[in-house]
Amino acid sequence: MNRWLAFIPLAALAVVIIVGAFLLTRETERETFSEGRIGRPAPAYSLTSLDGATVVANDAFEGRAYVINVFASWCTPCRAEHPQLMALQASGVEILGVAYKDRPAATTAFLDGLGDPFSAVGQDPEGRFGLDLGILGVPETFVIGPDGAIRAVHRGPITPEVVEETIRPALAAR
C-alpha cells in the first residue's frame, strides 16, 4: 500500500502536464489589448522629440491618416523592417516613429545609418506610451485614421505583404 502512495505526486504531475498541454494547444481566438483597441481612439500622447527641443503630440497629425511605428535601435527585427518603412515614407505616408526604451544617441545613430523614414520621432524612454498602446514588444505598427481611431495593428516587423494587405487598406479606409 505504501508503494502506491509514492506514485501520487507523479500522477498529479502527469495531470498538470496534460491539462497544460490541452490549454496551450486548443484553438481559440485570442484578443490582445492593442488589437482590441481597433476602432477606438488612439491614446493621446505628448512625447519629447528625438532632438529634445520640441514635443511630438497627437494634435500634430489631427485630421490625417498616419502610421505609428514603435521601434528601438537595439531591435534586430526593427532593422529588418526598415526598408519597408522607407518605402512607405517615399510613397507619401506619414509615419510617427516612437523610440521605445532607447537612448537618443543610439536612436540617432540607427536612423543616420539606415535612413530616417519618420515625419517625427518621439522618445518613450520608460515605455509609458507603449503601455498605453498595448504593445508587447518592438517593432509594432499602428494605423491611425483621420478621426484619431486605431484602424489596424501589426505586431512584429512589417513585410511587403503586411504593407499591401493591412497598412495600405487601413490608410485608405473612409
Side-chain angles (χ1 to χ4, degrees):
M1 180 83 158
N2 286 339
R3 287 186 214 175
W4 292 108
L5 292 177
F7 289 105
I8 290 176
L10 186 58
L13 179 61
V15 168
V16 168
I17 290 172
I18 290 169
V19 169
F22 170 75
L23 292 175
L24 290 173
T25 59
R26 68 186 172 141
E27 292 293 323
T28 60
E29 188 173 319
R30 295 180 182 120
E31 183 180 287
T32 61
F33 176 74
S34 60
E35 290 163 345
R37 292 191 56 141
I38 291 176
R40 296 184 183 166
Y45 56 88
S46 181
L47 306 169
T48 303
S49 65
L50 187 56
D51 64 10
T54 59
V55 171
V56 178
N58 54 304
D59 59 350
F61 295 93
E62 192 172 328
R64 300 187 314 267
Y66 67 103
V67 171
I68 297 175
N69 180 258
V70 185
F71 74 101
S73 66
W74 44 263
C75 164
T76 301
C78 296
R79 288 183 182 278
E81 80 171 355
H82 206 78
Q84 298 309 313
L85 293 170
M86 294 296 289
L88 271 174
Q89 184 264 345
S91 71
V93 174
E94 284 190 276
I95 308 170
L96 167 64
V98 177
Y100 182 75
K101 295 186 177 183
D102 210 353
R103 294 174 295 119
T107 302
T108 299
F110 176 83
L111 295 175
D112 287 347
L114 297 176
D116 186 352
F118 303 117
S119 303
V121 179
Q123 298 180 60
D124 189 16
E126 286 86 38
R128 288 192 177 103
F129 181 56
L131 287 174
D132 290 345
L133 283 169
I135 70 166
L136 296 176
V138 289
E140 288 196 25
T141 305
F142 299 79
V143 178
I144 310 300
D147 59 353
I150 297 173
R151 290 189 171 172
V153 177
H154 180 75
R155 296 184 188 286
I158 58 174
T159 63
E161 294 78 25
V162 170
V163 169
E164 293 308 316
E165 296 170 10
T166 303
I167 295 174
R168 289 201 185 279
L171 285 168
R174 295 279 166 175

